[in-house]
Amino acid sequence: MIDSINLSFDEMWDKIIACDEKYDGLFFTAVKTTKIFCRPSCRSRKPKRINVEFYHDIRKVENAGFRACKRCQPKVEHSPHTQLIRTVTSFLINEYKQNLTLQDIANHVGISPFHLERLFKQETDETPRTYLEKIRIDKASNLLINTDRTNLEICYDSGFQSPSNFYKVFRRFKNCSPSEYRNLHR
């Protein structure tokens, strides 16, 4: 069974609007009006927000009377390593505030760090470290737009251990500073 992830409705909504593949299999979008459920990365037309429910388990969404989307095929596993990658991504999403090493992540799933990094890169085209940084930047971006917390508070709330690393990584992914990002999106 897939580990549950700790995302708010707003965060999950943002992921489906962005068609974010990183969250495929970790939650499903069910549309009440059509009775269809999809992956977060589905490219189908987006439903109205009031018609959406989110489920973390495919059996629960099916038991609620929804059927799988024919376009994104959420019931189809794409790789023999899909479950392992879901477990890792779920762990990273839930533990993003922790100071995680590759060894910590590998210990969680019970394989060697080298093997984990190789499989993860093969399946997602990025390393677990990069994936974790993207999660942290997503959290920081959300906090910058939706709260009045200071950049330093957001740095630590997002799991970064130092402000300099936070600013460097934020600029790498968003091409601007956190303050510039906040001013652009408010």
Side-chain angles (χ1 to χ4, degrees):
M1 185 172 170
I2 300 169
D3 295 339
S4 163
I5 57 171
N6 298 320
L7 291 176
S8 70
F9 185 94
D10 290 336
E11 288 173 309
M12 287 187 280
W13 177 255
D14 290 344
K15 301 309 172 209
I16 67 163
I17 294 301
C19 298
D20 197 333
E21 292 178 356
K22 294 188 309 257
Y23 295 85
D24 282 0
L26 299 178
F27 71 87
F28 301 94
T29 306
V31 183
K32 295 182 257 185
T33 53
T34 62
K35 294 306 241 178
I36 294 174
F37 72 95
C38 299
R39 299 172 187 269
S41 66
C42 187
R43 297 284 177 186
S44 294
R45 199 171 125 221
K46 299 305 175 204
K48 290 183 179 177
R49 186 178 168 115
I50 59 170
N51 295 330
V52 170
E53 291 179 356
F54 293 108
Y55 290 85
H56 295 289
D57 187 311
I58 199 163
R59 289 182 302 273
K60 288 183 181 174
V61 72
E62 287 177 320
N63 289 342
F66 295 93
R67 65 177 176 80
C69 172
K70 291 180 180 175
R71 185 170 187 180
C72 68
Q73 302 177 348
K75 294 176 75 171
V76 176
E77 297 284 333
H78 296 290
S79 160
H81 307 293
T82 300
Q83 186 58 43
L84 174 77
I85 300 305
R86 284 182 186 162
T87 301
V88 171
T89 55
S90 177
F91 178 72
L92 293 174
I93 291 166
N94 287 331
E95 303 298 327
Y96 72 93
K97 287 187 179 185
Q98 306 304 315
N99 186 12
L100 297 173
T101 64
L102 186 59
Q103 184 66 55
D104 295 330
I105 302 164
N107 289 345
H108 179 74
V109 293
I111 61 175
S112 75
F114 173 79
H115 189 58
L116 169 64
E117 185 149 36
R118 187 174 58 76
L119 283 177
F120 199 85
K121 181 125 176 124
Q122 174 185 317
E123 296 292 321
T124 66
D125 293 327
E126 56 195 8
T127 65
R129 170 61 51 197
T130 304
Y131 191 90
L132 180 60
E133 287 176 343
K134 284 182 177 180
I135 292 167
R136 289 175 174 166
I137 292 302
D138 283 350
K139 296 289 185 181
S141 300
N142 188 29
L143 291 172
L144 284 164
I145 294 170
N146 297 312
T147 69
D148 289 326
R149 293 183 187 158
T150 66
N151 289 353
L152 186 61
E153 290 171 326
I154 290 172
C155 164
Y156 294 119
D157 285 349
S158 301
F160 288 94
Q161 304 301 311
S162 74
S164 62
N165 188 40
F166 171 59
Y167 284 96
K168 181 180 88 178
V169 173
F170 197 93
R171 186 167 293 282
R172 182 168 18 116
F173 286 111
K174 298 294 186 181
N175 293 321
C176 63
S177 72
S179 296
E180 292 167 341
Y181 185 85
R182 176 178 269 164
N183 292 335
L184 285 171
H185 292 88
R186 279 212 162 167

